[in-house]
Amino acid sequence: MSPDMELGSAGGRPEQPRLPHIVGAGDPAVLRLLAAELARDPEVTVRGHHGSAEEPTLLLTDMTAAHAEVLRRAHPAVTIEVDAPLEPYA
């Protein structure tokens, strides 16, 4: 094992980095319920939201890519994408 690999808590596997993700849904009620679920999830850090707390339009989160995939499968009506910086066209 290379010295720069960090060991995670799961059987010595390398720990995946948490990446910024944006989470959205067409229905603010669905997003509000998901925000409450994610706030209780130790694998996710909710950094903020757009819109009001009662009717969020977008959640700003940090999570691993693997956890994002689990959430995508559990919530097919929700969009979860890596929050990449915008770049102007060349």
Side-chain angles (χ1 to χ4, degrees), residues 34-86:
L34 185 59
E37 178 184 328
L38 294 178
R40 294 186 305 269
D41 188 338
E43 299 289 323
V44 178
T45 300
V46 179
R47 292 184 284 115
H49 65 275
H50 287 277
S52 69
E54 295 79 29
E55 291 194 11
T57 56
L58 198 63
L59 303 176
L60 309 170
T61 66
D62 292 326
M63 68 182 94
T64 65
H67 197 67
E69 184 58 33
V70 168
L71 289 172
R72 278 187 202 96
R73 291 180 184 178
H75 302 281
V78 175
T79 300
I80 302 171
E81 299 290 334
V82 172
D83 187 10
L86 296 175

